[in-house]
Amino acid sequence: MGSFLYRRVGQTLITLLLLTLLIFILARLTGDPTPLIMPSEATDADRAFFREHYGLDRSLPEQYFVFLGNILQGDFGVSFRYREPALGLVLQAIGPTLQLSGLSMLVAIAIGVPMGIGAAVIPESWFATSVRFYASLGQAMPSFWVALMLIVLFAITLPWFPSSGYGTAANFVLPAVTLGFYASASIALLTWANMTEALRSDFVQMQRVLGIPRRLIVLKHALRNAALPIVTYLGLQFGLLLSGAVVTERVFSWPGIGQLVVDAILNRDYPLVQACVLLTALLFIAINLAIDLLYAVLDPRIRA
Amino acid sequence: MRHLPNRPGIGRRAAMRGTAGIALAAGLGVPGAARAQAKPSLTVALGSDVVSLDPDRIPGGNEYLFMANVFEGLYGHDENGKLTPILAEAVTPSADGLAYDFTLRAGAKFHNGDPVTAEDVRFSWQRAAAPETHNPRAAILVANIADVIVQDDRHCRVTLKRRDASFMENLGEFFYIKPKKYLQAVGDEAFAKQPVGSGPFAFVDRRVKSFIKLRGFDGHWGRVPKVGEVMMKIVPDDQSRAAQIQTGEADIVCNVPPALVMPLQRLPNIKILRVSSFNNIFVPINAVANPNLAKPEVRRALNMAIDKAALVKTVMFGFATAQDLPCNSAILGCDVKVEPYGYNPQKAHEMLVSAGFDFSKPLHFLGQAPGRVPQSRETVEGITYFLNKIGVKTEVTILDYGAWMAIYGGKVKDPQIDLLYANFTDYNADPSGRLLRAIRSGGSYSWYSNPEVDAMLDRMNDFASPAERAPFLRQLFAKLHEEAPVITLWTLDSIYAVGKGISWAPTPNVSWPVLWNVVKAA
Amino acid sequence: MTQPLLTVRDLTVSFGPQAQPVRAVAEASFDLHPGEILGIAGESGSGKTTLCSALIRTLPRAARAQGEVVFDGRSLLDLPEREMRGLRGREIGMVLQNPMTSLDPLFTIGNQVNEVLRERGARDTAVEALRRVHLTAPELRVRQYPHQLSGGMRQRVLVAMATATAPRLLIADEPTTALDASIQDEILLLFREIRDTAGTAIIIVTHDLAAIRRLSDRVIVMYAGRIVEEGPTVRIFHAPRHPYTRGLLASVPRIEDDEVVLQAIPGQVPNLAELPPGCAFADRCPLAQDRCRAERPGETSVGARHRVFCWQAEQGA
């Protein structure tokens, strides 16, 4: 287990290093930030100062090494636009994003997994058909449309929830349902497929023959065995949600990472783009690591 | 820091909470009575966030939605958009226009209780003009101040290096008075996080891209707001912002796109308010790089080819004011009488032919992607329709704001671009700021070059007073009308949606909500 | 003679369209007495596994079972599923053919054995149950996972689980096929011991004739879904009366001098969907006559509790 951990951490560090190079290049590919940051009234002297102050007049390799050196000391630079440390802005935005992603995952699991199990256990029923219908809907409906529909139904027509914004528990409901709905569709299908597989295994046949009650076969044995690919997928989905459900964040005015990084890109705010992407990548890697560890907990064969 | 941005507004939700509140108050007895006397709080939904809270670090016109409510200059504008004394109560300009004696208002205070004195005026100039501050707008006004002489607490003399007829008009937007004691005590960084001004509203708190919280300043010298707390929520999506007024979560919604006015107007509890603004929409013509466009007759013909009134009606749903001159008629000097271009496609075509316009070469038209200016794309489509109708071929490219800005404001103007969609706001009635940047050769947004016009523009402010300058400005605009460096279109109207209990007259000729005169029924 | 524990009469399992059914098992009839070990021999496709599934009612939905199966006075084919579930794992136990994959890889041996013991109401502890099947170091094994045990050990665990409640009948489908030769013997001895100590009747289904010879008291030979011969093990192995049985016994590879002799039965197992009207073995049979091809053979008794389905049974004794 120890060597497994070391290897994974080592891989992570290399990945991160490559990532810094990639992000550095990509950010600069978006274009020159000067006309966007400097208002029209600025003089040439102001512009020159801006470029010099942020090192934009130095050569690219030089800029990269300065950037890398700063990161290693925890300094992600100062946002061109906000004139505040980029790291602070990102950390402020990560909170709402993590909260929303986490809640959406819970919603998705709470809906999708029982649906998948039910459909696998009674495959020819009206229940299974409705699960299939639900999954098609969930995968087909674009999230912004779902978001707007939910706002119209449950904020405007029925004034149950706030239409947008961040602050109270009630604010979480509509965005979490929007994101959770889509994720729950694919989780339902994945669970269904994996549970069907698991229910066909030899050991499940054995347990039926031994007379183990169905409840234990489905919920203890088949589910645990089906869980492994589902857990991987959950990790992937969570990562996707983290990197910014941009559209949902925009519709609900959710002050998360998605909005922050898109605005930063549109404003050519290099330090902020870099900080957002790097920190999101770090989170993603951390989640993958956690998933790997979860695997080892769930499956004793991996621990060997 | 987590705050509760939802405040009861008008609507079902508010009614539900309102009755519950009354019941609770009745149950508790006395506290309910006290609550009824506090000023109501106001919720405003905005389309975009501000970047800087520091008046010496204003990167763009968007910041005024904050600055105009929290800070003040010596002079400013009243609820009709006219120049009026603000922190000063009187001014005596010298005959040569190089010195201005200001008498400050007694009783003007900063939000922390400190009185506004001449020392603060002097300090504000020094900070705004200091090279270390890197005030990107210093060149407009404060860089031209030679000195601020403090005569006593309420009197100071501002001397200029050169005559500047735009000085008085620009005081409200380019020279904010900041508290010297407070700033020196807390330092620049802390001031930028927790600014203190003298305006009708004091800053309380903000969360980037989420909200800005203000509080009505009861100690204001004359514009004490009738509302208590103001929560400005940032809601970038148009539909979501419109939903805020429908659910009653917001009392006022700003930046309502014209396309959403009709459905909102039909709802019983909502009022639509509109005022004209100085947000100019026009099409710069690359007269420098394209020989086809070098002749003024060609450019006038292009103006003639477009039915601007029709576009206002169809593309802007009527929420714009068509302009013949490159300015709103309330701009100084823009009331000059000229022969309007008119809409005459036949004549336009003839003029192009006799000027030798090459119809085989399409004009490359750069547009702006939707999101920042309402109907930006549709406007470009409308213009190309009219141009195509008289045989002028066009090739349209739509770019996102950043890419568009990189070209529009680029150091070297792209010779491949012939026409651009542009929006440029005049912050007040003085035209010199914009014209110098948008028309004078070498200006950051200028695609035009004419030495005669340049000479006129360079002299534009070299007058002792606005009155002395007025005839010259009219001459200048007449010349610009003749030269037609741009295809003029219109100025946008600011559209607000307000709830039933709100009575408010938004200040005209500004593109931001000035909130001190909002009255909210309890 | 005691009452039979299990009586099977004319058991038929059909698939496919009603008009032209494919019979995986056709009109099988036999008895099993308490404490008896019955071996069912045949190649793959002979219907022996389907027969076992039919007995414990684990056939797929598409299958139709007809006939009579009486276990301990109860008609199994008519029993409601709930009662059948009550029988499985208590009075009727089964061991399946893939020990490597018949245990849940994610739970410990102890967890799984305890689960069976608890759900089926046995009074042993897991360690005791494992000791009963001679699994070495049972205290260690209960904390281990299936992938840490060899095939033979896993089979013992499965046998422990199947016999936890001392069932009256134990059905073992190819219990030793997936195991090493050295282990196979031990498992067979285990079965013998279970019969001796608990009086459990055992049906062992396999194509491994040596295993049947070692373990069973009586043998049933199946071909193409039908029983072709049934009798005491000694008689079947010394004096088989059905040509298929003879061919089967002769086809076991043996060493003569320094050669390995393989004597396969010529031809192939017929397609169950296209069976001839007569004896299904006729095409491959050295003694086939016209009558064999035209008419399906009836039952002929050729000794004490020894019967055969062949028109040529009298010959070649």
Side-chain angles (χ1 to χ4, degrees), chain A residues 10 19 36 66 86 104 107-108 120 128 144 155 170 177-178 210 212 214 227 232 241 255 280 299:
Chain A
L19 210 55
L36 285 164
V66 168
S104 306
V107 166
F144 74 86
V177 170
T178 306
L210 287 170
I212 306 283
R214 195 198 239 189
T232 313
L241 286 179
T280 311
D299 190 343

Short mmCIF file of all heavy atoms in Angstrom, two decimals, chain A residues 10 19 36 66 86 104 107-108 120 128 144 155 170 177-178 210 212 214 227 232 241 255 280 299:
data_model
loop_
_atom_site.label_atom_id
_atom_site.label_comp_id
_atom_site.label_asym_id
_atom_site.label_seq_id
_atom_site.Cartn_x
_atom_site.Cartn_y
_atom_site.Cartn_z
N GLY A 10 4.23 10.43 -6.97
CA GLY A 10 5.26 10.78 -7.94
C GLY A 10 4.67 11.11 -9.30
O GLY A 10 5.01 12.12 -9.92
N LEU A 19 1.57 20.17 -16.58
CA LEU A 19 0.39 21.03 -16.61
C LEU A 19 0.77 22.49 -16.54
O LEU A 19 0.21 23.33 -17.25
CB LEU A 19 -0.50 20.66 -15.43
CG LEU A 19 -1.99 20.85 -15.61
CD1 LEU A 19 -2.48 20.11 -16.81
CD2 LEU A 19 -2.70 20.37 -14.36
N LEU A 36 -7.27 45.20 -22.84
CA LEU A 36 -8.42 44.90 -22.01
C LEU A 36 -8.26 45.43 -20.60
O LEU A 36 -9.23 45.76 -19.94
CB LEU A 36 -8.63 43.39 -21.95
CG LEU A 36 -9.22 42.82 -23.22
CD1 LEU A 36 -9.04 41.32 -23.25
CD2 LEU A 36 -10.69 43.16 -23.32
N VAL A 66 10.07 32.23 -14.19
CA VAL A 66 9.63 33.10 -13.08
C VAL A 66 8.31 32.57 -12.52
O VAL A 66 8.12 32.44 -11.31
CB VAL A 66 9.44 34.55 -13.58
CG1 VAL A 66 8.72 35.38 -12.55
CG2 VAL A 66 10.78 35.17 -13.93
N ALA A 86 -4.10 36.22 -7.16
CA ALA A 86 -4.97 35.31 -7.90
C ALA A 86 -5.41 34.15 -7.02
O ALA A 86 -6.54 33.68 -7.10
CB ALA A 86 -4.25 34.80 -9.14
N SER A 104 -24.54 18.20 -5.80
CA SER A 104 -25.07 17.65 -7.05
C SER A 104 -24.74 16.17 -7.17
O SER A 104 -25.57 15.38 -7.62
CB SER A 104 -24.49 18.39 -8.25
OG SER A 104 -24.70 19.76 -8.12
N VAL A 107 -27.10 14.30 -4.99
CA VAL A 107 -28.42 14.21 -5.62
C VAL A 107 -28.39 13.16 -6.72
O VAL A 107 -29.28 12.31 -6.83
CB VAL A 107 -28.83 15.59 -6.21
CG1 VAL A 107 -30.01 15.45 -7.15
CG2 VAL A 107 -29.15 16.56 -5.10
N ALA A 108 -27.33 13.21 -7.54
CA ALA A 108 -27.24 12.29 -8.66
C ALA A 108 -27.18 10.84 -8.18
O ALA A 108 -27.84 9.96 -8.74
CB ALA A 108 -26.00 12.60 -9.49
N ALA A 120 -32.19 -3.10 -12.86
CA ALA A 120 -31.43 -4.33 -13.07
C ALA A 120 -32.14 -5.52 -12.44
O ALA A 120 -32.12 -6.63 -12.97
CB ALA A 120 -30.03 -4.19 -12.47
N ALA A 128 -38.40 -0.30 -15.18
CA ALA A 128 -37.19 -0.25 -16.00
C ALA A 128 -37.42 0.64 -17.22
O ALA A 128 -36.53 1.40 -17.61
CB ALA A 128 -36.81 -1.66 -16.44
N PHE A 144 -28.63 24.27 -19.54
CA PHE A 144 -29.12 25.64 -19.36
C PHE A 144 -30.63 25.67 -19.49
O PHE A 144 -31.31 26.45 -18.83
CB PHE A 144 -28.44 26.61 -20.34
CG PHE A 144 -28.91 26.50 -21.76
CD1 PHE A 144 -30.03 27.19 -22.20
CD2 PHE A 144 -28.21 25.74 -22.67
CE1 PHE A 144 -30.44 27.09 -23.51
CE2 PHE A 144 -28.63 25.64 -23.98
CZ PHE A 144 -29.75 26.31 -24.40
N ALA A 155 -39.35 28.98 -9.13
CA ALA A 155 -39.00 30.26 -8.54
C ALA A 155 -40.02 31.31 -8.93
O ALA A 155 -40.38 32.16 -8.12
CB ALA A 155 -37.61 30.70 -8.96
N ALA A 170 -31.48 27.47 0.69
CA ALA A 170 -32.47 27.42 -0.39
C ALA A 170 -31.84 27.69 -1.74
O ALA A 170 -32.30 27.19 -2.76
CB ALA A 170 -33.58 28.44 -0.12
N VAL A 177 -30.13 20.50 -8.37
CA VAL A 177 -31.01 19.62 -9.13
C VAL A 177 -30.65 19.68 -10.61
O VAL A 177 -30.62 18.66 -11.30
CB VAL A 177 -32.49 20.01 -8.92
CG1 VAL A 177 -33.38 19.28 -9.89
CG2 VAL A 177 -32.92 19.69 -7.50
N THR A 178 -30.34 20.89 -11.11
CA THR A 178 -29.94 21.02 -12.51
C THR A 178 -28.75 20.14 -12.83
O THR A 178 -28.77 19.35 -13.77
CB THR A 178 -29.57 22.47 -12.83
OG1 THR A 178 -30.65 23.32 -12.45
CG2 THR A 178 -29.26 22.65 -14.29
N LEU A 210 -27.73 -21.21 -2.71
CA LEU A 210 -27.58 -21.41 -1.28
C LEU A 210 -28.76 -20.86 -0.51
O LEU A 210 -28.88 -21.07 0.69
CB LEU A 210 -26.32 -20.69 -0.78
CG LEU A 210 -24.99 -21.34 -1.16
CD1 LEU A 210 -23.85 -20.40 -0.84
CD2 LEU A 210 -24.82 -22.64 -0.40
N ILE A 212 -29.53 -17.58 -0.15
CA ILE A 212 -29.34 -16.26 0.48
C ILE A 212 -30.49 -15.36 0.04
O ILE A 212 -30.87 -15.36 -1.12
CB ILE A 212 -28.01 -15.63 0.01
CG1 ILE A 212 -26.85 -16.60 0.27
CG2 ILE A 212 -27.76 -14.30 0.67
CD1 ILE A 212 -26.42 -16.68 1.69
N ARG A 214 -32.78 -12.40 -1.33
CA ARG A 214 -32.54 -11.53 -2.46
C ARG A 214 -31.99 -10.17 -2.04
O ARG A 214 -31.14 -9.59 -2.68
CB ARG A 214 -33.86 -11.32 -3.19
CG ARG A 214 -33.66 -10.74 -4.56
CD ARG A 214 -34.95 -10.16 -5.02
NE ARG A 214 -35.39 -10.77 -6.26
CZ ARG A 214 -36.42 -10.32 -6.97
NH1 ARG A 214 -37.12 -9.30 -6.54
NH2 ARG A 214 -36.76 -10.90 -8.09
N ALA A 227 -20.06 -1.64 -7.84
CA ALA A 227 -19.66 -0.29 -7.45
C ALA A 227 -18.36 0.18 -8.06
O ALA A 227 -18.18 1.37 -8.30
CB ALA A 227 -19.57 -0.19 -5.93
N THR A 232 -15.36 4.85 -10.25
CA THR A 232 -14.49 5.54 -11.21
C THR A 232 -15.24 6.63 -11.93
O THR A 232 -14.77 7.75 -12.09
CB THR A 232 -13.98 4.56 -12.28
OG1 THR A 232 -13.54 3.39 -11.66
CG2 THR A 232 -12.88 5.18 -13.10
N LEU A 241 -17.70 18.38 -12.90
CA LEU A 241 -18.50 19.39 -12.22
C LEU A 241 -17.62 20.47 -11.61
O LEU A 241 -17.94 21.63 -11.60
CB LEU A 241 -19.33 18.75 -11.10
CG LEU A 241 -20.52 17.94 -11.55
CD1 LEU A 241 -21.22 17.34 -10.35
CD2 LEU A 241 -21.49 18.80 -12.32
N PRO A 255 -21.13 32.17 -7.66
CA PRO A 255 -19.77 32.70 -7.74
C PRO A 255 -18.70 31.62 -7.66
O PRO A 255 -17.90 31.58 -6.74
CB PRO A 255 -19.70 33.63 -6.53
CG PRO A 255 -20.63 33.03 -5.54
CD PRO A 255 -21.74 32.41 -6.32
N THR A 280 -7.70 23.79 -10.09
CA THR A 280 -8.71 22.82 -10.45
C THR A 280 -8.07 21.48 -10.79
O THR A 280 -8.56 20.41 -10.40
CB THR A 280 -9.53 23.30 -11.66
OG1 THR A 280 -9.96 24.63 -11.42
CG2 THR A 280 -10.72 22.43 -11.90
N ASP A 299 -11.91 -3.13 -2.94
CA ASP A 299 -11.53 -4.38 -3.60
C ASP A 299 -10.24 -4.93 -3.01
O ASP A 299 -9.16 -4.39 -3.25
CB ASP A 299 -11.35 -4.13 -5.10
CG ASP A 299 -11.19 -5.43 -5.86
OD1 ASP A 299 -10.90 -6.48 -5.24
OD2 ASP A 299 -11.35 -5.41 -7.09
#
